[in-house]
Structure formats: structure tokens, C-alpha cells
Amino acid sequence: MSERAGRGEPVAVAAAPGRAPAAGAGPGLTGAGLFTLLIGASLPLLDYYIVNVALPSMERDLRTTETMLELVVAGYGVAHAVLLVLCGRLGDRFGRRRLFLWGMAAFGLTSLVCGLATDAWTLVIARVAQGAAASLLLPQVLATIQATTEGARRGRAIGLYGATTGLSMVAGQVLGGVLVAADIGGTGWRAVFLVNVPVVLLGLATALRTVPETRSDRPHPVDLPGTLLLALALGCLLLPLTEGRAAGWPWWAWTLLVVTGPAAAAFVAVEYRADRAGRVPLLPPSLVGVRSMRRGLAMVPTFSIGFGGFMFCVAVALQTGLDFGPVTAGIALAPMALAFFAASLVGPSLVARFGGRVAAGGAAVQIVGLVLVAVAVRSGWPGLGVLELAPGMAIAGFGQGLVMPVVFRVVLSDVPNAMAGVGSGVMITAQQSMLALGAATLGSLFLGLVPGAGMRDALLTALTVQIVMGVGTLLLGLRLPRRLS
């Protein structure tokens, strides 16, 4: 870390809670610290997907409508996405471990409120607060890894982070199905939230001892105009896309979509103006202009939109179209989760040998898996079983497990430690926004086709769209550098 310190970038240091770290030296990230950070990284993503299989039980128990259920999902996703970059900046300024601890504690508290909610509006409000807590927690994970590791250790840590996030998305629906079916102590759907509480308590206890405190040695003030405009642009895009279909596409949904363009343009203009004036904007154009970040971020839409759409459409098709119970639906997705994890174990050695091109290879493997899933759906519906789906699911999951960690590593490879929180916030905002966009757009296409074309053909159409996006990911992956720092 000495070379970075000589350039004025921060180093990891140990500090007592609430005290500023002494500049200059300190331990890097230990294995126990990385494990603790990965626990924190898994919670927000697990909770985004774990709710999907619990929605029917919520509807019956709370006697609510589909629109309110969409708000349970959308409220969390929108609050999470719009605050990520800001919370990354706050971690740079006030200390990343401190924000990690605050975020994890808030996530546990809001999870408890969700699990005890007695009506739909309480649940929606608690989910919005839970999404905000997730935004406080998640950017600090990548930022701490970036600031406390170098070289091969950083590559392995970021690879494990990418594997954790991808595995959490798949495992969320598996775990959700098991918890709802188990009905532990008569909790039913509430268990998908209450399970977070003991995990948070464990994470808080270990983080105090194992996660080093880091921060930027040149913290910058919050860019309030940029923050508000980014929140406006993302909110205007994501809220109508996730809520509009269930609400029957009312006037406000179209109005918000129209506002998205001007809000995004205003955000870009404000950020460039702040940059030219010598201030540090929320999203520095110079940071996005870094070649590695630009090329890595270009892959996020094609990969994450397809992934988010796939997870939504398959979850609906398995439970509604094939009448799988929540546990059986989870078992059907298990090969994807296991293969994703296996890919994460071999990924770092492949990256060391082939560099960023591993992402292109992973995209090709994913395409093969999706084609096999489509063939199984076409030939086996409506008697399709778990075994028929397993080969395609496993191959697709293995390919996805090769793509995601490489994209994370490429995006952050040239981000200076002083901007680690901002860079992490940008990466995760792009990922979460595109996942939500995929579930909203491909989900709306899928559900819109079901009445006329039937569940099988609607699913085949959604799979075809994802295969096309996989081809886009492959082509973009060929542009990644052969060597990664």
C-alpha cells in the first residue's frame, strides 16, 4: 500500500469505533474480514429476490392487491438504486466500516419491521426503508475491498464478491421457497424477513473485530443538486416500469417516463458544470471516462437486463405455468446456483490466464445454457420437470458465474482508492437499475403475451430476448483487455 499512500490515496487502518483512523499504516483485509463483508453484500441482493416466492402468501394473509404487492418489490428496488452512489460518497467521507455497521444495523431493524407488519402499507413503508438501509450497506463492501487489497488478492476478493452477488440472486428464490413452505413457528411469509435478524447480529459482532476502517484522505462535500437529479431520473424510470403494469398504466406512469429524459439530461449537465468549476460532482465525468470503467459498464445493461428478466419470468412460469410449489421451484433453480458458485471458484485462475476475455467465454456458455432451457420448454411443456431443466440451468449458471465477477473487476480495476466508494456506488447502481429494468421490461413483455400466446410461448419469447442480449454481452466482452490489474 506504500506506493498508493505516496500518491495521496488512503490506506486501510485499524480504528476504534467512532475514532478517525490514524493515517499511514494498518492491516489489510483478512479472510475473516472479507467473509464478514460478503455476508453484508449478500443480504440486500438476497432480499430483493427472496420476496418473489412469498408474494402469494402475503396477498392472502394481508388481504391486499397486486398493485400493493408490486409496491413491496418496487419500493425496495427504487430506494436501493437511487441512493447507492450517494451512500458510496458518504462512506468515502465518514468511514466505510462505520457506514457498513450503520447500514447493517438499519437493515436488521427494517427487516424486523417487515416481518412484523400487520397491513400492506406498513410493509411497503418498511420495504422502502429497508432498501435505503441496503444502499448504506452495499457500496462499502466493494469500496473496502478496493482500499485494502491489491493485485491478485484484490482480484480474488472481487471475484468472490461477484460470485456472492450472483449466487444471492439465485439462492434468494430457493431460500424463499423453503422458508415459506417450512412455515417455521407459523411465521409463513414473515420468515423471509425475520431470517435476516440473526444474520445481521452475527455480521455486526464480527465486523467490529475484523473489518478495517478506511476512508478518503481528501473527502469531498455531498453534491446535493447531482444527488437529487440522479434520484429523480432513476425514480422516474424504475417506478413506472415496475409498478405501471399492475396499476394498469395510469397517467402518472407515462408522465414519469416522459420526465426521465429531461431529468437525466439535467443530471449530466450539472455534473459536467461542477467538474468544470473545479468541484467534485456526485458522478465525476472523469471517473466514468476511465477506459476500463467505460468498457465494463457497457456490459452491465446487456447482462443484467437479461439476468433480471430471466429470474422473474422463470419464477412465474414455474409456479404459475407448471404448478410447481415454492420448494420445487427452488430445486429447479438450484443447479444454476451451484454452477454459478463453481464458476466463481475457477474464474480467478482463468482470468489470470486469459484476462477479460473470460467474460466473452462466459457469455457464450450462458447462451448455450439458455438455448437448452428453451429446447426443454418447447419440447416438454406442460409436463416439464426439474430434471429436464437441470442441464440448461446448470450451463447457463456456469456462464453467468464467469461473466459477473469479471465485469466487477474490470469496472473497478483503475479506480483510485480515494474514489473507491464512488466507483463502487456507480457499479452497483448500474447493476441494480438494470436488474430492475430487466424484471420490469421482460416481465411486462412476458405477462403481456401470456393471455394470447400462452405461458409456454411467452416464456420462449422472453428466453429468445435474453439469448439476443447474451450475444451482445459476448461481443462487448471481446473488447475487454487481456490483462487485468
Side-chain angles (χ1 to χ4, degrees):
M1 298 293 286
S2 58
E3 180 183 352
R4 294 182 181 275
R7 295 200 301 264
E9 295 176 10
V11 294
V13 294
R19 293 182 57 187
L29 186 63
T30 64
L34 177 60
F35 178 74
T36 301
L37 290 173
L38 294 180
I39 290 177
S42 68
L43 286 173
L45 298 167
L46 199 70
D47 250 56
Y48 187 86
Y49 288 92
I50 200 172
V51 170
N52 287 347
V53 293
L55 291 176
S57 299
M58 291 179 193
E59 185 175 16
R60 290 191 300 269
D61 188 31
L62 298 178
R63 299 178 184 176
T64 188
T65 63
E66 183 183 4
T67 301
M68 291 297 293
L69 292 177
E70 290 284 349
L71 278 175
V72 169
V73 177
Y76 179 91
V78 172
H80 186 31
V82 302
L83 294 173
L84 280 165
V85 179
L86 171 63
C87 291
R89 171 69 65 83
L90 293 176
D92 287 345
R93 183 176 180 84
F94 296 109
R96 294 160 189 143
R97 184 182 72 161
R98 177 179 295 177
L99 271 291
F100 179 85
L101 292 170
W102 288 356
M104 183 168 278
F107 193 86
L109 180 61
T110 52
S111 296
L112 180 62
V113 176
C114 287
L116 299 177
T118 56
D119 60 83
W121 274 114
T122 300
L123 180 58
V124 168
I125 293 169
R127 281 285 283 175
V128 171
Q130 190 186 36
S135 298
L136 200 62
L137 166 66
L138 195 55
Q140 318 313 327
V141 177
L142 266 179
T144 300
I145 291 173
Q146 184 79 359
T148 58
T149 59
E150 289 183 331
R153 289 187 66 243
R154 178 182 292 175
R156 286 192 295 270
I158 292 179
L160 287 172
Y161 174 87
T164 299
T165 59
L167 191 60
S168 297
M169 296 173 201
V170 181
Q173 297 191 168
V174 179
L175 180 61
V178 171
L179 289 173
V180 172
D183 192 23
I184 302 169
T187 54
W189 61 266
R190 300 177 188 278
V192 304
F193 299 114
L194 297 177
V195 72
N196 294 332
V197 177
V199 178
V200 164
L201 293 176
L202 173 64
L204 287 172
T206 56
L208 285 168
R209 299 194 306 271
T210 63
V211 176
E213 180 65 285
T214 64
R215 68 185 68 190
S216 172
D217 61 353
R218 291 187 300 246
H220 304 288
V222 172
D223 172 17
L224 185 58
T227 300
L228 294 176
L229 285 170
L230 179 62
L232 178 64
L234 287 175
C236 287
L237 174 65
L238 296 177
L239 187 59
L241 287 178
T242 53
E243 180 67 13
R245 183 194 61 81
W249 293 107
W251 64 268
W252 61 261
W254 295 109
T255 301
L256 290 178
L257 287 174
V258 170
V259 172
T260 299
F267 170 71
V268 172
V270 164
E271 297 301 275
Y272 271 103
R273 188 179 304 120
D275 201 37
R276 287 193 297 268
R279 301 190 301 272
V280 178
L282 179 72
L283 184 55
S286 57
L287 182 63
V288 181
V290 172
R291 185 180 182 186
S292 58
M293 174 166 274
R294 189 173 64 248
R295 289 192 173 184
L297 286 176
M299 295 183 65
V300 173
T302 56
F303 180 79
S304 295
I305 288 175
F307 190 90
F310 175 84
M311 295 305 297
F312 176 85
C313 296
V314 168
V316 174
L318 293 179
Q319 294 191 71
T320 304
L322 295 176
D323 292 325
F324 284 7
V327 175
T328 306
I331 293 173
L333 291 169
M336 176 177 282
L338 294 173
F340 197 110
F341 182 70
S344 72
L345 297 180
V346 302
S349 60
L350 292 175
V351 170
R353 184 173 180 181
F354 301 107
R357 300 297 174 87
V358 171
V365 173
Q366 179 194 21
I367 291 169
V368 172
L370 292 174
V371 170
L372 290 178
V373 171
V375 169
V377 169
R378 183 176 179 83
S379 61
W381 197 279
L384 188 62
V386 171
L387 291 179
E388 291 85 353
L389 286 169
M393 289 286 191
I395 293 173
F398 193 86
Q400 291 160 351
L402 293 178
V403 174
M404 188 177 291
V406 174
V407 172
F408 275 107
R409 188 169 172 182
V410 169
V411 168
L412 296 173
S413 59
D414 294 323
V415 174
N417 284 359
M419 302 290 287
V422 178
S424 302
V426 171
M427 174 66 227
I428 302 169
T429 297
Q431 181 200 36
Q432 294 302 302
S433 300
M434 294 302 105
L435 287 169
L437 191 61
T441 53
L442 284 183
S444 294
L445 172 66
F446 169 72
L447 294 174
L449 290 174
V450 168
M455 185 74 72
R456 187 198 75 162
D457 289 348
L459 180 58
L460 288 172
T461 301
L463 288 170
T464 301
V465 173
Q466 194 189 0
I467 290 169
V468 171
M469 302 197 80
V471 173
T473 302
L474 190 159
L475 295 175
L476 291 168
L478 293 174
R479 299 177 65 246
L480 296 182
R482 292 295 297 268
R483 290 177 176 268
L484 297 179
S485 58

